[in-house]
């Protein structure tokens, strides 16, 4: 198994099909990253929001 | 037997009531037909009056417009009963909900699908549909509108409790209508070319049979979910 | 027979705690395989005789198509399980499937379109496969729209489950109809999307990607379900304790 291209420039160019291949790969990996990261961010926001809520409840019960 | 006569009397009681209600609101019945007419009229206005062009697209266009007109009419299938509480009464009544649902669907088809089917030949003339295709148009629409009323009822049942259920119904029901559209339009198109279209009608009939079996059940289940929600 | 294990499976808390342990491994293995397979396909797999380098898009197009279809069935099955056994967790899984499925479907349509242009000269073609697949994306759209429309969560869950099941019955019907429709209208020219035989050296990276993508789907489904669990169970004790532990672990102090 060997690397199929002669140089990095070749790798990017892909005999003229580079735009298509790299756009496609970029799209896919972009969505994959988004699908992985977005629930994690949502969870962080949820925890932050719940912390505020718990704080409010604690403060109101301390009155 | 007492049970079956009770069931059939429930069916016919619901049927009669809904039919009378439907005819009280003749405006609601006429709307889809007017839409059908106006929408068909837009086609030559958009594409030009050339008969050759219209003749080629007539089968598909008439079918698409019939489908859209049916979609428009679905929202009112259960809505008025939901709004005044009679749907809830039906749900708690000790009678099979599926039967009442079937009666309502039958009325909906008689008030919407059947008139569309009867009006279609007029529109066929307007779009220069070849003479050989008129029979196919009527048969395919007869079977297809019935199937569409049945399948559409499931969508109407799922969204009956929503305020803006109208557009949502179209979104969820349209993919399910696609097989009906394919075979219905194909029947008319094939007939327009002078060939046999029995196969397409048979498929439509089979689809209608399946829908008859499954759709009232699914719609009844969906009604329970929507109303009790 | 002791069905306790089955009903324990339905506990959101059990699912959350179990998956917390699995998650790092799943994340590593899924992304590991995706990166290895991606680089393999991009740089090390041979180029196709006819399609040259645009063939490399296969490695990200085909696996995503497979999981987008599996996703729909997972959605429907979870819905059915939730309806039949009245469990909470399956509905949460079902809800997570819809946006994931839509995202995957859009990506498949886009990459297919991008692949089509250099290979067959066209961005889009109304053939049986593409058309049925487009309709699948409509089914996902409808599922998401229905879920968002209800105020009451239970109603939303049950209605979405019914819709998913109705859609499942329809998918084979839709596919067969569209297939038949296409053979009817097939243009005289050669069929656009033809099958070509694949050399083994091209198959291996494809397998890696398929496995990687299935792992990825599991990962992402679990992640989304976990977030949904936290949201829905926010009033329970174990979630409250989780929030507390998480926030005091950040060194912000237990009281202020």
């Amino acid at each position: 198994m060997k690397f199929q291209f002669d140089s990095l420039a070749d790798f990017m160019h892909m005999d003229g099909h580079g735009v298509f291949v790299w756009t496609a790969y970029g799209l896919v990996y972009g969505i994959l990253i988004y699908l992985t990261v977005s629930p994690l961010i949502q969870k962080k926001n949820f925890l932050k929001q719940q912390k505020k809520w718990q704080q409010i409840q604690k403060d109101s019960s301390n009155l | 037997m007492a049970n079956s006569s009770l069931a059939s009397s429930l069916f016919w009681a619901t049927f009669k009531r809904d039919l009378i209600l439907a005819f009280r609101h003749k405006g609601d019945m006429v709307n889809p037909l007017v839409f059908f007419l106006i929408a068909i009229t837009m086609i030559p206005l958009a594409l030009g009056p050339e008969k050759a062009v219209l003749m080629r697209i007539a089968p598909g266009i008439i079918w698409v417009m019939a489908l859209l007109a049916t979609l428009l009419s679905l929202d009112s299938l259960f809505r008025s009963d939901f709004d005044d509480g009679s749907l809830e009464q039906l749900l708690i009544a000790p009678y099979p909900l599926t039967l009442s649902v079937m009666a309502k669907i039958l009325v909906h088809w008689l008030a919407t699908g059947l008139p569309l089917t009867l009006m279609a030949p007029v529109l066929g003339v307007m779009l220069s549909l070849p003479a050989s295709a008129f029979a196919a148009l009527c048969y395919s629409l007869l079977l297809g509108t019935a199937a569409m009323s049945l399948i559409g009822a499931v969508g109407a049942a799922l969204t009956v409790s929503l305020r803006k259920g109208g557009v949502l119904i179209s979104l969820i029901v349209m993919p399910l209508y696609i097989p009906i559209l394919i075979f219905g339009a194909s029947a008319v198109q094939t007939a327009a070319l002078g060939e046999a279209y029995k196969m397409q009608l048979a498929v439509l009939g089979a689809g209608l049979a399946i829908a008859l079996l499954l759709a009232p059940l699914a719609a009844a289940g969906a009604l329970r979910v929507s109303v009790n929600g | 027979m002791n069905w306790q294990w089955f009903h324990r499976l339905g506990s959101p808390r059990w699912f959350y705690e179990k998956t917390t342990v699995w998650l790092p491994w799943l994340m590593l293995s899924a992304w590991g395989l995706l990166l290895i397979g991606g680089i393999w396909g991009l740089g090390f797999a041979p180029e196709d005789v006819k399609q040259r380098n645009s063939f490399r898009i296969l490695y990200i197009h085909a696996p995503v198509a497979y999981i987008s279809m599996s996703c729909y069935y997972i959605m429907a099955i979870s819905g059915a399980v939730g309806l039949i056994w009245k469990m909470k967790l399956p509905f949460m899984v079902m809800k997570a499937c819809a946006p994931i499925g839509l995202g995957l479907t859009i990506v498949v349509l886009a990459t297919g379109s991008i692949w089509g242009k250099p290979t067959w000269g066209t961005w889009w073609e109304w053939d049986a496969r593409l058309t049925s697949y487009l309709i699948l994306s409509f089914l996902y759209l409808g599922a998401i729209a229905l879920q968002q429309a209800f105020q009451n969560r239970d109603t939303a869950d049950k209605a979405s489950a019914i819709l998913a099941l109705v859609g499942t019955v329809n998918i084979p019907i839709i596919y067969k109809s569209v297939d038949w429709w296409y053979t009817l209208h097939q243009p005289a020219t050669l069929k656009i999307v033809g099958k070509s035989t694949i050399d083994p050296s091209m198959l291996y990276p494809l397998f890696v990607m398929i496995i990687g993508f299935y792992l990825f789907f599991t990962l992402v489904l679990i992640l989304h379900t976990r977030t949904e669990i936290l949201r829905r169970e926010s009033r329970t004790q174990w979630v409250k304790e989780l929030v507390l532990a998480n926030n005091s672990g950040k060194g912000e102090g237990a009281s202020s």
Side-chain angles (χ1 to χ4, degrees), chain A residues 38-52:
Chain A
S38 78
L40 295 172
I41 294 181
Q42 282 173 18
K43 175 179 163 196
K44 203 160 54 138
N45 289 339
F46 170 83
L47 289 173
K48 232 190 285 180
Q49 182 208 50
Q50 290 296 304
K51 172 188 174 225
K52 266 201 214 123

Side-chain angles (χ1 to χ4, degrees), chain A residues 9-62:
Chain A
D10 250 1
F11 189 40
M12 288 290 140
H13 186 58
M14 292 227 173
D15 291 324
H17 291 164
V19 178
F20 299 100
V21 177
W22 289 109
T23 315
Y25 271 74
L27 247 172
V28 172
Y29 280 90
I31 287 270
L32 298 186
I33 293 173
Y34 175 75
L35 284 175
T36 311
V37 167
S38 78
L40 295 172
I41 294 181
Q42 282 173 18
K43 175 179 163 196
K44 203 160 54 138
N45 289 339
F46 170 83
L47 289 173
K48 232 190 285 180
Q49 182 208 50
Q50 290 296 304
K51 172 188 174 225
K52 266 201 214 123
W53 183 231
Q54 280 185 357
Q55 197 58 36
I56 293 175
Q57 287 190 312
K58 199 190 296 175
D59 289 343
S60 66
S61 69
N62 277 345

Side-chain angles (χ1 to χ4, degrees), chain B residues 106-117:
Chain B
L106 181 58
V107 171
H108 177 265
W109 178 72
L110 286 175
T112 312
L114 189 56
L116 279 176
T117 308

Side-chain angles (χ1 to χ4, degrees), chain B residues 15 19 23 28-30 32-33 36 62-63 66-67 69-70 73 104-123 137-150 208:
Chain B
F15 174 80
L19 199 61
F23 273 90
D28 284 346
M29 272 174 43
V30 169
L33 299 177
F36 200 18
I62 297 179
W63 247 98
L67 189 153
T70 309
S73 69
K104 285 185 183 301
I105 297 176
L106 181 58
V107 171
H108 177 265
W109 178 72
L110 286 175
T112 312
L114 189 56
L116 279 176
T117 308
L118 294 174
M119 203 172 118
V122 173
L123 301 174
L137 183 65
C138 293
Y139 290 141
S140 63
L141 277 177
L142 202 68
L143 295 170
T145 51
M148 288 198 282
S149 285
L150 282 160
L208 176 59

Side-chain angles (χ1 to χ4, degrees), chain B residues 102-210:
Chain B
M102 261 203 275
K104 285 185 183 301
I105 297 176
L106 181 58
V107 171
H108 177 265
W109 178 72
L110 286 175
T112 312
L114 189 56
L116 279 176
T117 308
L118 294 174
M119 203 172 118
V122 173
L123 301 174
V125 170
M126 284 166 65
L127 289 185
S128 312
L129 186 71
S132 52
F134 278 87
L137 183 65
C138 293
Y139 290 141
S140 63
L141 277 177
L142 202 68
L143 295 170
T145 51
M148 288 198 282
S149 285
L150 282 160
I151 298 175
V154 181
L158 282 172
T159 58
V160 71
S161 63
L162 301 171
R163 261 174 302 120
K164 295 206 199 137
V167 181
L168 189 55
I169 293 186
S170 312
L171 185 54
I172 58 186
V173 163
M174 270 205 276
L176 310 176
Y177 276 179
I178 285 175
I180 304 175
L181 174 66
I182 288 177
F183 284 100
S186 167
V188 187
Q189 178 77 327
T190 316
L193 295 173
E195 289 156 27
Y197 55 90
K198 267 204 212 65
M199 185 273 242
Q200 287 90 326
L201 287 186
V203 173
L204 281 175
L208 176 59
I210 299 176

Side-chain angles (χ1 to χ4, degrees), chain A residues 35-37 39-41 43, chain C residues 14-32 215-227 229-230 242:
Chain A
L35 284 175
T36 311
V37 167
L40 295 172
I41 294 181
K43 175 179 163 196
Chain C
W14 177 89
F15 180 87
Y16 192 88
E17 289 171 356
K18 264 283 186 302
T19 52
T20 309
V21 177
W22 296 345
L23 223 41
W25 299 109
L26 199 52
M27 182 84 80
L28 259 172
S29 56
W31 273 100
L215 284 173
F216 172 81
F217 172 62
T218 314
L219 168 72
V220 165
L221 187 59
I222 289 179
L223 282 176
H224 279 82
T225 309
R226 283 162 60 93
T227 313
I229 289 176
L230 287 180
L242 194 86

Side-chain angles (χ1 to χ4, degrees), chain B residues 158 162 168 175-176 179 186 199 229, chain C residues 145 149-150 152 155 170 174 177 180:
Chain B
L158 282 172
L162 301 171
L168 189 55
L176 310 176
S186 167
M199 185 273 242
Chain C
F150 288 93
N152 182 318
T155 317
N170 268 273
I174 291 174
S177 312
W180 178 85

